Amino acid sequence: MTDIKGCQSCNSITGDSTLDLLNQDLAKQVRTAYDRLEDRGMSACLFGSGGTCCRICNMGPCQIIDGVDAMVGVCGATADTVAARNFARIVAAGTAAHTDHAREMVRGFIATAKGETPHEIKDVAKLHKMAAIFGIETEGRDKNEIALELGERALAEFGQQEGTLTMLKRAPEKQQKIWKEMGVEPRGIDREVVEMMHRTHMGVDQEYKNIMKQAARTSLADGWGSSMLSTELTDIMFGTPVPKRAIVDLGVLREDMVNVTVHGHEPLLAESLCLAADDDEIIALAKKVGAKGVNLAGVCCTGNEILMRRGIPVAGSFIQQEMVLATGAVEAMVVDVQCIMQSVAQVVKGKHTDVITTNYRAKIPDAVHIQFEEDAAYESAKKILKHAIANFKKRGDFYIPENKKLDVVVGFSHETINYMLGGRFRQSYRPLNDNIINGRIRGVGALVGCEHYKYSDDVHFKIAVELIKNNVLVLATGCAAQALGRRGLLRPEAATEYAGDGLREVCETVGMPPVLHVGSCVDNSRLLIALTEMVNEGGLGDDISQLPAVGSAPLWMSEKAVAIGQYFVTSGAHVIFQDLPVTGAKKFSQYILEGLKEDYGACWGVEKDPIKHARAMIAAIDEKREALGINKKQERVLMDMQMRRELEGKALPGMGCGQGGH
Ligand code: NFS
């Protein structure tokens, strides 16, 4: 075993607690991704990172060099075809991950409506809203009856073969029109993924623009299809997040309790564990082994789900999953699907900790498997917790970093943003739009996605600070949100500490942080709705591509991030990543970095340097402000009711309606 390397550089990403832990002898024995990255000692394959390695048939693998006749594929495939196919397959894989997650949530929702789970239909208002979107009768019907019909209708959208997905009609009309004209309206969720895989099979679609058309369609099946269904039905079942204070830190592990970390993505498991942890029998069993009870803590996006809805602390994000186990203080890491490193089962070797896999889809060598039975969710959860409790007495050397009390305020669903900005009696995005028009808020930047071992600098923090300093309101999801939480940007006080004058004024008035935690990666669909609400509110153009809003996943790692990026681009929002595997194909990369704009009003961008990355986001925002005619320094005047009415009644792009304040 080598000492952990790279920890000095990761310090700035993962926070003081991690560095504290990594300096302990017991953690030095653990090999992490940092070690493996260094030990591999080789730079990335140029063909792989440029997107031009083709492994699609067995005549290859073919490594393609763009523009060199002798270096096309054996079948004749060019660099553009190969890079487009590879890119489209990434979108399909990411969409498949969100889709399978969503399907499980919808199945759990149906089981809940039938009374077969320990959960219940909590958000009846949202149930009715969703029922209206699906044209489901609610009058005089019991909530479970409505939920059952909604669940069955939602489930049917996965296997639907014709027509279009219901949620598409939530998008601004202009987006819908563009999708129709482009022929990219998804017909059914699974169908688009299957067709994408077929079209990228050897010898099918070999025209990069046409391949990207299906990639766009597949991505919409994710954003406006499976992810949105998952978010909304999960909210109905477990409650729509509202602001709450919580803690994000390795130090949330407890010396005197059985520590169970939940890692993965589908909240059915995590929510069941939350319920079971309060079960009298479980508490009694924990006490019997000398613990005060069961301490649940989240990791990765499942952590975000229970953080947002229950305020359950997050022990660590993707990049910290091995470090959480290196503490030696965890009795069980319970995992389901996605973003779980195979190494976690090796990190716990020689420790009392068990990694417990719970989903038949996702088994890991050397882990313990206890199947989470959805039709016996509560009992399954108890069985898992009992296994963890039995490990408590075997706990050996451990080290829990001092809880740095990295408090965060989370729970900014799009409904919450509506409520916070508009107030209890006047829920609306009007104040946000007004503040963008009057220039207090320059625009909206979404920081989403993963963390990445290759980039040791404090990328999310630097980008976010640069954005908020320049009055860009940041909405964050996924592990990016956790990274920002660890650096203190999810506190209202961060507005005073870091934000520019205009944004600070708004945040201080409302009492909100300058970076709003919107949820897990599946919850990026909340951002689609927030953008749509901004369009519908008026004054900022009539489609998403006109909004001063931009997305970024500056440390993307997972295929899901590319699917998300693509659905934002297809929905009209410019998106910037640190890199994309397209550089080996000139025409294709030019198409996705510029050409897509002609089709959808938005395209991809790439920038590795965090400050330049933030500035590129700001430049994209300013370009929209310019086009809207609001990119001038506005003189602030107090707005009386008459002026407000006029603004609300007449605000149109380009009318220079930036004089409003309020
Ligand atoms: Ni998103 Fe969540 Fe994290 Fe990246 Fe993985 S946990 S769904 S993919 S690493 S943000």
Side-chain angles (χ1 to χ4, degrees):
M1 298 277 178
T2 55
D3 282 0
I4 290 173
K5 299 171 188 75
C7 55
Q8 292 300 331
S9 53
C10 79
N11 166 42
S12 55
I13 293 181
T14 51
D16 294 347
S17 301
T18 310
L19 188 64
D20 181 9
L21 171 69
L22 293 178
N23 282 330
Q24 307 302 316
D25 283 345
L26 93 168
K28 285 180 181 165
Q29 301 310 310
V30 172
R31 274 175 56 78
T32 70
Y34 290 105
D35 298 284
R36 290 187 295 276
L37 193 68
E38 197 167 312
D39 291 353
R40 282 171 57 79
M42 50 208 259
S43 50
C45 162
L46 284 179
F47 295 98
S49 45
T52 56
C53 173
C54 186
R55 293 185 297 109
I56 276 171
C57 83
N58 198 33
M59 292 194 289
C62 294
Q63 285 126 354
I64 320 289
I65 300 179
D66 203 359
V68 178
D69 286 349
M71 290 299 284
V72 293
V74 173
C75 69
T78 61
D80 296 312
T81 303
V82 170
R85 282 201 298 227
N86 288 336
F87 188 87
R89 282 196 167 199
I90 295 175
V91 172
T95 301
H98 286 146
T99 296
D100 230 23
H101 167 154
R103 192 192 331 271
E104 287 312 293
M105 294 313 299
V106 175
R107 288 182 62 241
F109 183 84
I110 291 172
T112 299
K114 288 180 177 167
E116 294 168 355
T117 74
H119 312 296
E120 57 178 323
I121 300 302
K122 278 197 181 140
D123 189 339
V124 177
K126 187 170 261 198
L127 172 70
H128 281 234
K129 198 167 153 190
M130 290 296 296
I133 292 168
F134 275 80
I136 294 168
E137 185 58 64
T138 52
E139 197 64 34
R141 295 178 84 191
D142 167 63
K143 67 177 184 181
N144 288 325
E145 205 185 320
I146 302 167
L148 181 58
E149 188 175 343
L150 175 61
E152 284 170 348
R153 292 280 297 280
L155 193 60
E157 300 234 326
F158 290 79
Q160 187 174 291
Q161 299 301 318
E162 302 296 341
T164 55
L165 298 180
T166 305
M167 299 282 221
L168 291 187
K169 63 183 180 215
R170 297 181 90 183
E173 275 175 25
K174 200 158 156 207
Q175 249 68 49
Q176 296 182 49
K177 199 162 159 263
I178 293 169
W179 298 336
K180 199 179 189 64
E181 280 167 10
M182 288 296 298
V184 298
E185 292 170 302
R187 297 149 293 189
I189 298 168
D190 294 346
R191 177 170 180 185
E192 306 313 344
V193 177
V194 170
E195 186 171 313
M196 189 76 267
M197 294 307 286
H198 172 209
R199 281 167 65 163
T200 52
H201 180 274
M202 192 272 154
V204 187
D205 201 350
Q206 293 165 83
E207 203 284 307
Y208 64 88
K209 286 189 184 173
N210 207 41
I211 293 170
M212 279 308 291
K213 232 175 163 180
Q214 181 58 19
R217 196 179 218 174
T218 307
S219 74
L220 292 178
D222 180 340
W224 296 89
S226 55
S227 283
M228 198 173 282
L229 283 173
S230 184
T231 296
E232 302 291 35
L233 269 57
T234 304
D235 277 356
I236 294 171
M237 191 162 39
F238 299 140
T240 301
V242 292
K244 45 179 69 69
R245 277 197 181 266
I247 300 171
V248 174
D249 189 40
L250 278 177
V252 300
L253 299 174
R254 294 277 302 267
E255 183 172 349
D256 53 1
M257 294 181 87
V258 176
N259 290 308
V260 177
T261 55
V262 201
H263 177 10
H265 284 80
E266 295 172 4
L268 274 172
L269 166 70
E271 285 282 338
S272 301
L273 289 170
C274 291
L275 295 178
D278 285 337
D279 184 283
D280 289 344
E281 188 194 1
I282 292 295
I283 294 169
L285 281 172
K287 288 194 169 148
K288 209 167 153 188
V289 297
K292 285 190 176 152
V294 173
N295 177 39
L296 280 180
V299 177
C300 277
C301 273
T302 228
N304 280 327
E305 299 274 359
I306 49 178
L307 171 76
M308 290 279 284
R309 294 197 179 85
R310 291 179 173 264
I312 302 266
V314 166
S317 55
F318 172 76
I319 212 161
Q320 290 175 298
Q321 57 188 286
E322 293 161 313
M323 296 157 200
V324 169
L325 297 172
T327 60
V330 175
E331 275 57 55
M333 175 176 267
V334 186
V335 305
D336 56 8
V337 290
Q338 301 171 20
C339 302
I340 301 142
M341 292 194 200
Q342 183 167 344
S343 67
V344 289
Q346 303 309 311
V347 170
V348 299
K349 277 201 170 155
K351 298 188 194 310
H352 76 305
T353 312
D354 278 317
V355 170
I356 304 178
T357 55
T358 59
N359 190 308
Y360 73 92
R361 297 173 182 83
K363 294 194 175 179
I364 303 176
D366 296 324
V368 174
H369 186 78
I370 303 177
Q371 182 61 38
F372 176 69
E373 306 287 358
E374 282 156 22
D375 51 2
Y378 195 67
E379 287 315 311
S380 287
K382 279 177 74 176
K383 192 171 167 189
I384 292 164
L385 293 183
K386 283 178 189 173
H387 188 100
I389 290 168
N391 280 347
F392 183 73
K393 273 194 175 292
K394 295 184 255 169
R395 194 190 279 181
D397 287 346
F398 68 93
Y399 183 80
I400 301 174
E402 186 197 338
N403 186 344
K404 298 284 191 265
K405 300 251 180 297
L406 291 171
D407 61 322
V408 293
V409 178
V410 298
F412 294 93
S413 53
H414 65 85
E415 291 86 350
T416 299
I417 298 172
N418 212 0
Y419 166 75
M420 278 200 80
L421 290 165
R424 180 189 287 270
F425 301 107
R426 200 166 173 279
Q427 295 188 16
S428 146
Y429 274 71
R430 187 73 254 155
L432 175 61
N433 283 25
D434 284 350
N435 279 308
I436 290 175
I437 292 165
N438 69 30
R440 281 198 189 103
I441 296 178
R442 194 172 193 150
V444 174
L447 279 184
V448 313
C450 325
E451 295 163 305
H452 202 308
Y453 290 85
K454 273 193 218 160
Y455 303 90
S456 56
D457 212 347
D458 201 351
V459 172
H460 291 113
F461 179 74
K462 282 184 178 162
I463 295 175
V465 167
E466 188 66 17
L467 291 175
I468 62 179
K469 195 172 84 187
N470 285 287
N471 296 311
V472 175
L473 175 66
V474 174
L475 306 182
T477 60
C479 291
Q482 294 179 5
L484 295 170
R486 285 198 301 272
R487 294 302 307 270
L489 293 184
L490 302 185
R491 299 167 303 131
E493 301 78 27
T496 314
E497 293 159 14
Y498 299 102
D501 288 349
L503 179 62
R504 191 180 65 225
E505 197 181 322
V506 175
C507 290
E508 286 176 350
T509 306
V510 178
M512 69 182 194
V515 178
L516 304 180
H517 190 327
V518 182
S520 66
C521 279
V522 156
D523 293 338
N524 281 310
S525 59
R526 297 189 200 279
L527 299 179
L528 294 176
I529 298 299
L531 294 173
T532 303
E533 297 265 359
M534 286 169 71
V535 171
N536 293 343
E537 194 56 52
L540 293 173
D542 58 2
D543 81 44
I544 292 174
S545 75
Q546 289 178 267
L547 293 173
V550 59
S552 154
L555 291 179
W556 80 276
M557 164 286 298
S558 150
E559 291 161 313
K560 290 176 285 176
V562 179
I564 292 165
Q566 187 59 50
Y567 73 61
F568 274 107
V569 168
T570 315
S571 302
H574 185 55
V575 169
I576 308 179
F577 276 28
Q578 82 271 28
D579 54 25
L580 287 171
V582 300
T583 48
K586 220 203 272 154
K587 279 188 275 182
F588 173 63
S589 56
Q590 207 168 10
Y591 179 57
I592 71 162
L593 298 175
E594 288 171 30
L596 281 176
K597 204 168 177 178
E598 270 175 43
D599 296 336
Y600 304 104
C603 60
W604 289 86
V606 284
E607 179 52 65
K608 272 200 178 75
D609 177 81
I611 298 300
K612 285 187 190 158
H613 191 108
R615 293 200 178 140
M617 293 174 76
I618 294 167
I621 285 171
D622 284 350
E623 192 187 312
K624 306 291 176 179
R625 294 185 64 84
E626 196 66 43
L628 288 166
I630 57 172
N631 201 22
K632 22 187 173 316
K633 185 90 190 132
Q634 303 299 337
E635 198 186 318
R636 293 215 184 112
V637 294
L638 284 174
M639 195 161 77
D640 62 21
M641 278 314 286
Q642 178 61 25
M643 291 166 77
R644 173 178 278 285
R645 267 185 224 115
E646 279 173 18
L647 179 70
E648 287 183 9
K650 290 194 231 154
L652 285 170
M655 68 178 281
C657 52
Q659 72 273 41
H662 59 91

